Amino acid sequence: MAEHHPGYPFTPIAPAPRDGARNLDPRTLPDVVAAFDRLRPRGDYLAAAAADGVFPRHRYTSTAQGENRGFIHFQGIQRLRNGRYAIVTGGDVLQPAAHLFVIEMGTRYVRGPWGSNLLRSSDPDPADAVVNVVALGDAHWHGGGVSVFGDVAVLPLEGKDLLSRTVFVDLSDPLAARPLPFVIEGPSVKGGAAALTRLPNDHFLCAVYRDEAMPKKKPTGFFDFFLSNSTDICDGFAADPFAQVYYGDVEGREDRLPGYQTVQFLVEGDAADPATWSWFLAGTWNGSSMSPTFPGPDWADLHEITFDPAMLGPNPPANPANPHLRLVRANRFFCSDCFGNFDAAAGFHVDEYGELILYSAYHWRYDGAILMSEFRETRPNDAPPITLVQDGWIDLFEHSKFAGRRLTILGTKDENIADYGRISVQGSTFDDIVSSARWQIPEGYVYRLYADARYGEDRGFLDLEGDGRVHEIANFKALRPGFNDRVSSSRYV
């Protein structure tokens, strides 16, 4: 008989009501490819604490009990629509159960990127923590790659010798997350990742990526596409996929053989005008079959997806033509120090401002915490001006021309840094090494960089002045030779 733990609820959860007040509208991007290309290849480090009892001893660590230790790991991550919460999915074969861990980032901004919460300590603040755990299956114990559309999460579940099952979870109240009253059963034992979107006719589309050997098909992965039975998502989806697209048939894939751990729809256009919508399908994966022992490169692929026009009309046919996928981008990212791996968990988020953010988590927790990375967009130099200081940001770089490690200061969180020798930026101190900067702060604000700790001015200072627009200094040495590699404190003045 499986042990019961405070963090592992096994009492059946009542399904969410059909008429729940859940959001099912897309957040769109004006230019998906441009936003995808602006994602920074190196992320900011975050962590979420877990109180005693959330994880039984050794669970979700690399030293989990028995021969099954490698199977108990995190498999998906998504930041939720309201911005304060995130979810991480995984599975524990020893319980058995698939899990959805709800994280509240209480010290971070609800809007925009979070930025690192580990600047002054290697331990997360108790306000940044796992606040809810939901068990989604029993024999279907392996939770796959998750994506979120509006207030609904979708993820496939696998179990030994069982057909996979794709479940949908209402996250309109993250502290009372509940499955919706339908599932997609099968039709394969594999169910690695799933994505959900809404069409202009208000029907829903679900894509499930499966990495399964098929006769005479290379590479082996394929997508199953399911249409909803009606415009009410609680009426569920057709039992059989209307289309199956093998990755070997994707235009432009060349020799890529991805094993996607997450797939997610990104919508381009005006959110208020469905006639303008077009779709992209992103997938994340790691290039090593031995990850994380031999991590390999982390990749995010972006596909333009074209649907049968009849499927988008008011009365979609039961068997529309297959979607067409074309690979348009394959961008590499860099995770390190157990703060992420695309073979474990990755997921995209579109924030209130219409900017794209990518998150990743590691296979296992570390020192009791869930470790994550946040890859946000680099704002273009012609970005619209800002007027609120909480929307401002300052990026300080280790090397000239915006290279090396990066300290990010968002809004007024962590604005006062009295000693750069006592902070940690992506794993190391940051004292006397800043050589370039990029910033966007409102008119009338000045962010001052001091050569001395504790805001001393004996060795000089450099002011980053705001006018609401993006500015940059590519090389401190060229601008002011005596100030290169000298920053030891900073604050708004």
Side-chain angles (χ1 to χ4, degrees), residues 210-264:
R210 312 182 192 278
D211 193 4
E212 179 177 299
M214 299 293 289
K216 300 180 182 179
K217 293 289 184 179
K218 293 183 179 181
T220 59
F222 62 94
F223 297 93
D224 278 338
F225 290 91
F226 299 84
L227 270 175
S228 64
N229 291 318
S230 74
T231 58
D232 182 350
I233 195 171
C234 287
D235 285 337
F237 287 76
D240 298 317
F242 72 85
Q244 196 170 76
V245 178
Y246 293 90
Y247 201 77
D249 298 327
V250 170
E251 180 185 349
R253 70 162 186 88
E254 298 177 345
D255 294 327
R256 295 180 75 74
L257 302 175
Y260 291 129
Q261 302 301 305
T262 299
V263 293
Q264 191 164 345

Tab-separated table of all heavy atoms in Angstrom, residues 210-264:
chain	number	residue	atom	x	y	z
A	210	ARG	N	3.833	12.602	-29.858
A	210	ARG	CA	4.181	11.259	-29.402
A	210	ARG	C	5.493	10.852	-30.050
A	210	ARG	O	5.647	10.975	-31.267
A	210	ARG	CB	3.072	10.273	-29.756
A	210	ARG	CG	1.668	10.755	-29.376
A	210	ARG	CD	0.624	9.712	-29.704
A	210	ARG	NE	-0.731	10.235	-29.632
A	210	ARG	CZ	-1.449	10.378	-28.519
A	210	ARG	NH1	-0.909	10.040	-27.354
A	210	ARG	NH2	-2.681	10.859	-28.543
A	211	ASP	N	6.413	10.360	-29.249
A	211	ASP	CA	7.712	9.903	-29.754
A	211	ASP	C	7.694	8.381	-29.732
A	211	ASP	O	8.055	7.745	-28.753
A	211	ASP	CB	8.834	10.450	-28.877
A	211	ASP	CG	10.196	10.277	-29.530
A	211	ASP	OD1	10.240	9.815	-30.675
A	211	ASP	OD2	11.200	10.612	-28.882
A	212	GLU	N	7.247	7.803	-30.842
A	212	GLU	CA	7.009	6.369	-30.876
A	212	GLU	C	7.457	5.820	-32.220
A	212	GLU	O	7.143	6.380	-33.272
A	212	GLU	CB	5.525	6.085	-30.672
A	212	GLU	CG	5.145	4.624	-30.713
A	212	GLU	CD	3.665	4.443	-30.438
A	212	GLU	OE1	3.211	4.831	-29.340
A	212	GLU	OE2	2.971	3.927	-31.311
A	213	ALA	N	8.188	4.704	-32.207
A	213	ALA	CA	8.663	4.104	-33.453
A	213	ALA	C	7.475	3.642	-34.298
A	213	ALA	O	6.590	2.949	-33.822
A	213	ALA	CB	9.572	2.920	-33.149
A	214	MET	N	7.468	4.076	-35.547
A	214	MET	CA	6.423	3.693	-36.483
A	214	MET	C	7.072	3.105	-37.735
A	214	MET	O	8.126	3.563	-38.155
A	214	MET	CB	5.568	4.907	-36.872
A	214	MET	CG	4.854	5.569	-35.707
A	214	MET	SD	3.579	4.505	-34.982
A	214	MET	CE	2.354	4.547	-36.267
A	215	PRO	N	6.485	2.100	-38.339
A	215	PRO	CA	7.107	1.460	-39.509
A	215	PRO	C	7.331	2.452	-40.649
A	215	PRO	O	6.434	3.203	-41.019
A	215	PRO	CB	6.078	0.391	-39.903
A	215	PRO	CG	5.234	0.184	-38.704
A	215	PRO	CD	5.214	1.483	-37.968
A	216	LYS	N	8.563	2.444	-41.156
A	216	LYS	CA	8.928	3.197	-42.357
A	216	LYS	C	8.741	4.696	-42.183
A	216	LYS	O	8.600	5.423	-43.163
A	216	LYS	CB	8.131	2.705	-43.566
A	216	LYS	CG	8.347	1.229	-43.889
A	216	LYS	CD	7.534	0.808	-45.094
A	216	LYS	CE	7.729	-0.685	-45.381
A	216	LYS	NZ	6.928	-1.139	-46.537
A	217	LYS	N	8.734	5.187	-40.977
A	217	LYS	CA	8.587	6.621	-40.742
A	217	LYS	C	9.786	7.112	-39.947
A	217	LYS	O	10.066	6.606	-38.863
A	217	LYS	CB	7.297	6.936	-39.967
A	217	LYS	CG	6.027	6.638	-40.754
A	217	LYS	CD	5.829	7.623	-41.888
A	217	LYS	CE	4.521	7.378	-42.602
A	217	LYS	NZ	4.288	8.338	-43.692
A	218	LYS	N	10.503	8.089	-40.487
A	218	LYS	CA	11.639	8.668	-39.788
A	218	LYS	C	11.577	10.178	-39.960
A	218	LYS	O	11.313	10.667	-41.052
A	218	LYS	CB	12.949	8.134	-40.352
A	218	LYS	CG	13.182	6.651	-40.092
A	218	LYS	CD	14.535	6.219	-40.621
A	218	LYS	CE	14.767	4.741	-40.337
A	218	LYS	NZ	16.089	4.303	-40.811
A	219	PRO	N	11.873	10.941	-38.902
A	219	PRO	CA	12.061	10.499	-37.512
A	219	PRO	C	10.771	9.947	-36.919
A	219	PRO	O	9.716	10.021	-37.546
A	219	PRO	CB	12.511	11.765	-36.805
A	219	PRO	CG	11.918	12.864	-37.604
A	219	PRO	CD	11.940	12.404	-39.022
A	220	THR	N	10.845	9.415	-35.731
A	220	THR	CA	9.746	8.624	-35.194
A	220	THR	C	8.622	9.455	-34.601
A	220	THR	O	7.517	8.960	-34.437
A	220	THR	CB	10.267	7.669	-34.105
A	220	THR	OG1	10.883	8.436	-33.067
A	220	THR	CG2	11.271	6.700	-34.688
A	221	GLY	N	8.869	10.716	-34.219
A	221	GLY	CA	7.849	11.509	-33.559
A	221	GLY	C	6.721	11.910	-34.499
A	221	GLY	O	6.916	12.067	-35.701
A	222	PHE	N	5.522	12.073	-33.933
A	222	PHE	CA	4.395	12.548	-34.734
A	222	PHE	C	3.414	13.297	-33.842
A	222	PHE	O	3.410	13.165	-32.616
A	222	PHE	CB	3.700	11.398	-35.468
A	222	PHE	CG	3.093	10.349	-34.571
A	222	PHE	CD1	1.761	10.415	-34.192
A	222	PHE	CD2	3.851	9.277	-34.118
A	222	PHE	CE1	1.193	9.442	-33.384
A	222	PHE	CE2	3.301	8.299	-33.305
A	222	PHE	CZ	1.959	8.382	-32.935
A	223	PHE	N	2.578	14.109	-34.487
A	223	PHE	CA	1.554	14.891	-33.811
A	223	PHE	C	0.185	14.310	-34.139
A	223	PHE	O	-0.145	14.101	-35.308
A	223	PHE	CB	1.574	16.347	-34.272
A	223	PHE	CG	2.847	17.091	-33.972
A	223	PHE	CD1	3.861	17.158	-34.913
A	223	PHE	CD2	3.028	17.737	-32.754
A	223	PHE	CE1	5.031	17.855	-34.653
A	223	PHE	CE2	4.195	18.433	-32.482
A	223	PHE	CZ	5.203	18.483	-33.435
A	224	ASP	N	-0.629	14.090	-33.106
A	224	ASP	CA	-2.052	13.803	-33.269
A	224	ASP	C	-2.830	15.089	-33.024
A	224	ASP	O	-2.588	15.789	-32.020
A	224	ASP	CB	-2.515	12.740	-32.264
A	224	ASP	CG	-2.203	11.322	-32.713
A	224	ASP	OD1	-2.033	11.114	-33.934
A	224	ASP	OD2	-2.142	10.428	-31.848
A	225	PHE	N	-3.773	15.403	-33.929
A	225	PHE	CA	-4.590	16.613	-33.794
A	225	PHE	C	-6.042	16.213	-33.541
A	225	PHE	O	-6.613	15.410	-34.298
A	225	PHE	CB	-4.499	17.464	-35.057
A	225	PHE	CG	-3.160	18.118	-35.247
A	225	PHE	CD1	-2.161	17.488	-35.972
A	225	PHE	CD2	-2.894	19.370	-34.699
A	225	PHE	CE1	-0.924	18.079	-36.149
A	225	PHE	CE2	-1.662	19.970	-34.863
A	225	PHE	CZ	-0.676	19.327	-35.589
A	226	PHE	N	-6.623	16.803	-32.478
A	226	PHE	CA	-8.005	16.524	-32.084
A	226	PHE	C	-8.821	17.814	-32.111
A	226	PHE	O	-8.354	18.862	-31.640
A	226	PHE	CB	-8.063	15.950	-30.664
A	226	PHE	CG	-7.336	14.654	-30.477
A	226	PHE	CD1	-5.965	14.642	-30.219
A	226	PHE	CD2	-8.010	13.445	-30.549
A	226	PHE	CE1	-5.288	13.445	-30.031
A	226	PHE	CE2	-7.324	12.244	-30.361
A	226	PHE	CZ	-5.973	12.246	-30.099
A	227	LEU	N	-10.058	17.738	-32.627
A	227	LEU	CA	-10.984	18.870	-32.596
A	227	LEU	C	-12.004	18.676	-31.476
A	227	LEU	O	-12.434	17.544	-31.199
A	227	LEU	CB	-11.727	18.986	-33.925
A	227	LEU	CG	-11.099	19.847	-35.012
A	227	LEU	CD1	-11.904	19.740	-36.298
A	227	LEU	CD2	-10.990	21.302	-34.566
A	228	SER	N	-12.396	19.783	-30.848
A	228	SER	CA	-13.419	19.702	-29.809
A	228	SER	C	-14.771	19.366	-30.431
A	228	SER	O	-15.042	19.651	-31.604
A	228	SER	CB	-13.507	21.022	-29.040
A	228	SER	OG	-13.933	22.074	-29.882
A	229	ASN	N	-15.627	18.749	-29.630
A	229	ASN	CA	-16.951	18.361	-30.118
A	229	ASN	C	-17.885	19.536	-30.305
A	229	ASN	O	-18.879	19.430	-31.033
A	229	ASN	CB	-17.577	17.354	-29.145
A	229	ASN	CG	-16.853	16.025	-29.167
A	229	ASN	OD1	-16.481	15.521	-30.222
A	229	ASN	ND2	-16.631	15.442	-27.978
A	230	SER	N	-17.598	20.647	-29.637
A	230	SER	CA	-18.445	21.832	-29.752
A	230	SER	C	-17.628	23.040	-29.314
A	230	SER	O	-16.423	22.938	-29.052
A	230	SER	CB	-19.693	21.688	-28.873
A	230	SER	OG	-19.361	21.851	-27.496
A	231	THR	N	-18.282	24.178	-29.189
A	231	THR	CA	-17.608	25.384	-28.707
A	231	THR	C	-17.547	25.426	-27.183
A	231	THR	O	-16.968	26.356	-26.628
A	231	THR	CB	-18.323	26.638	-29.235
A	231	THR	OG1	-19.690	26.628	-28.813
A	231	THR	CG2	-18.272	26.698	-30.764
A	232	ASP	N	-18.123	24.454	-26.526
A	232	ASP	CA	-18.017	24.298	-25.068
A	232	ASP	C	-16.929	23.278	-24.804
A	232	ASP	O	-17.080	22.088	-25.120
A	232	ASP	CB	-19.346	23.839	-24.475
A	232	ASP	CG	-19.300	23.703	-22.953
A	232	ASP	OD1	-18.188	23.780	-22.371
A	232	ASP	OD2	-20.362	23.498	-22.351
A	233	ILE	N	-15.810	23.715	-24.232
A	233	ILE	CA	-14.688	22.798	-24.048
A	233	ILE	C	-15.068	21.603	-23.196
A	233	ILE	O	-14.512	20.507	-23.363
A	233	ILE	CB	-13.471	23.546	-23.448
A	233	ILE	CG1	-12.202	22.693	-23.604
A	233	ILE	CG2	-13.714	23.934	-22.000
A	233	ILE	CD1	-10.928	23.424	-23.253
A	234	CYS	N	-16.048	21.746	-22.314
A	234	CYS	CA	-16.432	20.637	-21.448
A	234	CYS	C	-17.194	19.538	-22.184
A	234	CYS	O	-17.462	18.480	-21.607
A	234	CYS	CB	-17.245	21.149	-20.262
A	234	CYS	SG	-16.231	22.044	-19.052
A	235	ASP	N	-17.543	19.767	-23.446
A	235	ASP	CA	-18.100	18.695	-24.259
A	235	ASP	C	-17.006	17.761	-24.768
A	235	ASP	O	-17.302	16.769	-25.440
A	235	ASP	CB	-18.884	19.274	-25.452
A	235	ASP	CG	-20.232	19.839	-25.025
A	235	ASP	OD1	-20.742	19.426	-23.966
A	235	ASP	OD2	-20.774	20.701	-25.745
A	236	GLY	N	-15.760	18.094	-24.489
A	236	GLY	CA	-14.656	17.213	-24.810
A	236	GLY	C	-14.260	17.236	-26.272
A	236	GLY	O	-14.679	18.116	-27.048
A	237	PHE	N	-13.452	16.249	-26.651
A	237	PHE	CA	-12.861	16.185	-27.983
A	237	PHE	C	-13.251	14.883	-28.675
A	237	PHE	O	-13.626	13.896	-28.020
A	237	PHE	CB	-11.338	16.275	-27.876
A	237	PHE	CG	-10.844	17.655	-27.528
A	237	PHE	CD1	-10.956	18.130	-26.229
A	237	PHE	CD2	-10.277	18.470	-28.491
A	237	PHE	CE1	-10.511	19.403	-25.899
A	237	PHE	CE2	-9.827	19.743	-28.178
A	237	PHE	CZ	-9.944	20.211	-26.879
A	238	ALA	N	-13.159	14.888	-29.992
A	238	ALA	CA	-13.408	13.677	-30.752
A	238	ALA	C	-12.498	12.557	-30.253
A	238	ALA	O	-11.346	12.793	-29.857
A	238	ALA	CB	-13.172	13.939	-32.239
A	239	ALA	N	-13.012	11.336	-30.277
A	239	ALA	CA	-12.250	10.215	-29.742
A	239	ALA	C	-11.012	9.916	-30.569
A	239	ALA	O	-9.994	9.459	-30.030
A	239	ALA	CB	-13.137	8.980	-29.673
A	240	ASP	N	-11.082	10.179	-31.865
A	240	ASP	CA	-9.963	9.879	-32.752
A	240	ASP	C	-9.390	11.166	-33.323
A	240	ASP	O	-10.123	12.133	-33.588
A	240	ASP	CB	-10.426	8.981	-33.900
A	240	ASP	CG	-10.935	7.640	-33.418
A	240	ASP	OD1	-10.278	7.054	-32.534
A	240	ASP	OD2	-11.992	7.197	-33.904
A	241	PRO	N	-8.081	11.202	-33.541
A	241	PRO	CA	-7.495	12.396	-34.159
A	241	PRO	C	-7.971	12.543	-35.599
A	241	PRO	O	-8.122	11.549	-36.318
A	241	PRO	CB	-5.988	12.125	-34.094
A	241	PRO	CG	-5.869	10.634	-34.007
A	241	PRO	CD	-7.078	10.166	-33.260
A	242	PHE	N	-8.202	13.793	-36.028
A	242	PHE	CA	-8.589	14.014	-37.417
A	242	PHE	C	-7.366	14.048	-38.328
A	242	PHE	O	-7.495	13.955	-39.553
A	242	PHE	CB	-9.392	15.311	-37.573
A	242	PHE	CG	-8.590	16.580	-37.416
A	242	PHE	CD1	-7.891	17.122	-38.483
A	242	PHE	CD2	-8.544	17.235	-36.192
A	242	PHE	CE1	-7.162	18.294	-38.342
A	242	PHE	CE2	-7.815	18.404	-36.048
A	242	PHE	CZ	-7.115	18.927	-37.121
A	243	ALA	N	-6.178	14.191	-37.725
A	243	ALA	CA	-4.958	14.236	-38.518
A	243	ALA	C	-3.810	13.702	-37.692
A	243	ALA	O	-3.792	13.808	-36.458
A	243	ALA	CB	-4.661	15.651	-38.980
A	244	GLN	N	-2.841	13.123	-38.395
A	244	GLN	CA	-1.612	12.645	-37.764
A	244	GLN	C	-0.462	13.086	-38.670
A	244	GLN	O	-0.383	12.691	-39.827
A	244	GLN	CB	-1.645	11.131	-37.634
A	244	GLN	CG	-0.623	10.545	-36.682
A	244	GLN	CD	-0.890	9.066	-36.423
A	244	GLN	OE1	-0.599	8.231	-37.265
A	244	GLN	NE2	-1.452	8.757	-35.252
A	245	VAL	N	0.403	13.945	-38.134
A	245	VAL	CA	1.492	14.527	-38.916
A	245	VAL	C	2.811	14.003	-38.373
A	245	VAL	O	3.157	14.263	-37.209
A	245	VAL	CB	1.461	16.065	-38.877
A	245	VAL	CG1	2.636	16.640	-39.655
A	245	VAL	CG2	0.142	16.595	-39.435
A	246	TYR	N	3.545	13.275	-39.188
A	246	TYR	CA	4.842	12.746	-38.790
A	246	TYR	C	5.916	13.824	-38.946
A	246	TYR	O	5.878	14.627	-39.886
A	246	TYR	CB	5.197	11.519	-39.623
A	246	TYR	CG	4.302	10.360	-39.352
A	246	TYR	CD1	3.139	10.176	-40.092
A	246	TYR	CD2	4.597	9.462	-38.335
A	246	TYR	CE1	2.294	9.109	-39.830
A	246	TYR	CE2	3.759	8.398	-38.065
A	246	TYR	CZ	2.613	8.228	-38.819
A	246	TYR	OH	1.779	7.169	-38.555
A	247	TYR	N	6.856	13.823	-38.020
A	247	TYR	CA	7.861	14.878	-38.090
A	247	TYR	C	8.717	14.759	-39.342
A	247	TYR	O	9.260	15.743	-39.830
A	247	TYR	CB	8.746	14.908	-36.840
A	247	TYR	CG	9.388	16.263	-36.698
A	247	TYR	CD1	8.642	17.336	-36.224
A	247	TYR	CD2	10.691	16.494	-37.113
A	247	TYR	CE1	9.188	18.599	-36.145
A	247	TYR	CE2	11.244	17.751	-37.033
A	247	TYR	CZ	10.487	18.797	-36.550
A	247	TYR	OH	11.029	20.055	-36.498
A	248	GLY	N	8.815	13.575	-39.904
A	248	GLY	CA	9.543	13.417	-41.151
A	248	GLY	C	8.921	14.174	-42.305
A	248	GLY	O	9.576	14.421	-43.322
A	249	ASP	N	7.643	14.560	-42.173
A	249	ASP	CA	6.944	15.296	-43.218
A	249	ASP	C	6.955	16.800	-42.997
A	249	ASP	O	6.345	17.546	-43.777
A	249	ASP	CB	5.491	14.812	-43.325
A	249	ASP	CG	5.404	13.347	-43.718
A	249	ASP	OD1	6.285	12.896	-44.479
A	249	ASP	OD2	4.475	12.657	-43.259
A	250	VAL	N	7.592	17.270	-41.933
A	250	VAL	CA	7.641	18.700	-41.653
A	250	VAL	C	8.570	19.392	-42.647
A	250	VAL	O	9.731	18.984	-42.822
A	250	VAL	CB	8.101	18.965	-40.206
A	250	VAL	CG1	8.384	20.447	-39.970
A	250	VAL	CG2	7.044	18.463	-39.224
A	251	GLU	N	8.080	20.434	-43.292
A	251	GLU	CA	8.881	21.164	-44.273
A	251	GLU	C	10.048	21.866	-43.576
A	251	GLU	O	9.872	22.498	-42.541
A	251	GLU	CB	8.008	22.202	-44.982
A	251	GLU	CG	8.737	23.020	-46.036
A	251	GLU	CD	7.873	24.109	-46.637
A	251	GLU	OE1	6.641	24.100	-46.394
A	251	GLU	OE2	8.433	24.963	-47.344
A	252	GLY	N	11.233	21.754	-44.153
A	252	GLY	CA	12.394	22.481	-43.656
A	252	GLY	C	13.081	21.851	-42.470
A	252	GLY	O	14.008	22.441	-41.911
A	253	ARG	N	12.672	20.645	-42.069
A	253	ARG	CA	13.268	20.062	-40.859
A	253	ARG	C	14.694	19.586	-41.107
A	253	ARG	O	15.465	19.419	-40.174
A	253	ARG	CB	12.442	18.888	-40.365
A	253	ARG	CG	12.526	17.667	-41.281
A	253	ARG	CD	12.088	16.408	-40.597
A	253	ARG	NE	12.326	15.247	-41.451
A	253	ARG	CZ	13.448	14.570	-41.475
A	253	ARG	NH1	14.461	14.945	-40.708
A	253	ARG	NH2	13.586	13.535	-42.270
A	254	GLU	N	15.051	19.357	-42.374
A	254	GLU	CA	16.380	18.871	-42.753
A	254	GLU	C	16.714	17.608	-41.958
A	254	GLU	O	15.962	16.647	-41.981
A	254	GLU	CB	17.415	19.986	-42.580
A	254	GLU	CG	17.128	21.176	-43.489
A	254	GLU	CD	18.092	22.324	-43.302
A	254	GLU	OE1	18.826	22.352	-42.297
A	254	GLU	OE2	18.092	23.209	-44.171
A	255	ASP	N	17.811	17.609	-41.217
A	255	ASP	CA	18.215	16.389	-40.504
A	255	ASP	C	17.864	16.426	-39.021
A	255	ASP	O	18.398	15.645	-38.236
A	255	ASP	CB	19.724	16.176	-40.660
A	255	ASP	CG	20.120	15.890	-42.098
A	255	ASP	OD1	19.311	15.252	-42.805
A	255	ASP	OD2	21.207	16.314	-42.513
A	256	ARG	N	16.985	17.309	-38.636
A	256	ARG	CA	16.637	17.398	-37.211
A	256	ARG	C	15.793	16.200	-36.799
A	256	ARG	O	14.833	15.827	-37.485
A	256	ARG	CB	15.884	18.696	-36.916
A	256	ARG	CG	16.735	19.918	-37.149
A	256	ARG	CD	15.980	21.201	-36.841
A	256	ARG	NE	15.842	21.441	-35.415
A	256	ARG	CZ	16.822	21.843	-34.622
A	256	ARG	NH1	18.033	22.005	-35.114
A	256	ARG	NH2	16.615	22.069	-33.342
A	257	LEU	N	16.147	15.612	-35.650
A	257	LEU	CA	15.427	14.471	-35.095
A	257	LEU	C	15.029	14.802	-33.662
A	257	LEU	O	15.572	14.245	-32.704
A	257	LEU	CB	16.301	13.210	-35.133
A	257	LEU	CG	16.815	12.781	-36.510
A	257	LEU	CD1	17.769	11.605	-36.360
A	257	LEU	CD2	15.659	12.414	-37.418
A	258	PRO	N	14.092	15.719	-33.483
A	258	PRO	CA	13.772	16.160	-32.121
A	258	PRO	C	12.943	15.127	-31.368
A	258	PRO	O	12.200	14.336	-31.958
A	258	PRO	CB	12.955	17.432	-32.367
A	258	PRO	CG	12.270	17.175	-33.670
A	258	PRO	CD	13.266	16.397	-34.497
A	259	GLY	N	13.084	15.155	-30.050
A	259	GLY	CA	12.198	14.414	-29.172
A	259	GLY	C	11.569	15.436	-28.245
A	259	GLY	O	12.099	15.725	-27.167
A	260	TYR	N	10.452	16.027	-28.666
A	260	TYR	CA	9.906	17.178	-27.946
A	260	TYR	C	9.388	16.772	-26.571
A	260	TYR	O	8.643	15.805	-26.426
A	260	TYR	CB	8.790	17.838	-28.751
A	260	TYR	CG	9.291	18.526	-30.000
A	260	TYR	CD1	8.722	18.277	-31.240
A	260	TYR	CD2	10.360	19.415	-29.924
A	260	TYR	CE1	9.196	18.908	-32.381
A	260	TYR	CE2	10.842	20.039	-31.061
A	260	TYR	CZ	10.258	19.782	-32.276
A	260	TYR	OH	10.729	20.394	-33.408
A	261	GLN	N	9.794	17.534	-25.567
A	261	GLN	CA	9.315	17.360	-24.204
A	261	GLN	C	8.174	18.323	-23.890
A	261	GLN	O	7.409	18.095	-22.960
A	261	GLN	CB	10.461	17.573	-23.216
A	261	GLN	CG	11.640	16.635	-23.442
A	261	GLN	CD	11.266	15.182	-23.337
A	261	GLN	OE1	10.721	14.753	-22.336
A	261	GLN	NE2	11.558	14.408	-24.377
A	262	THR	N	8.077	19.415	-24.655
A	262	THR	CA	6.968	20.360	-24.547
A	262	THR	C	6.606	20.818	-25.948
A	262	THR	O	7.486	21.057	-26.774
A	262	THR	CB	7.354	21.591	-23.696
A	262	THR	OG1	7.690	21.178	-22.375
A	262	THR	CG2	6.187	22.572	-23.617
A	263	VAL	N	5.299	20.936	-26.218
A	263	VAL	CA	4.823	21.591	-27.430
A	263	VAL	C	3.779	22.624	-27.010
A	263	VAL	O	3.073	22.432	-26.009
A	263	VAL	CB	4.227	20.596	-28.452
A	263	VAL	CG1	5.313	19.680	-29.001
A	263	VAL	CG2	3.091	19.788	-27.859
A	264	GLN	N	3.699	23.721	-27.773
A	264	GLN	CA	2.814	24.806	-27.366
A	264	GLN	C	2.453	25.658	-28.570
A	264	GLN	O	3.308	26.000	-29.391
A	264	GLN	CB	3.508	25.663	-26.303
A	264	GLN	CG	2.601	26.648	-25.611
A	264	GLN	CD	3.234	27.168	-24.325
A	264	GLN	OE1	4.212	26.598	-23.823
A	264	GLN	NE2	2.690	28.235	-23.792
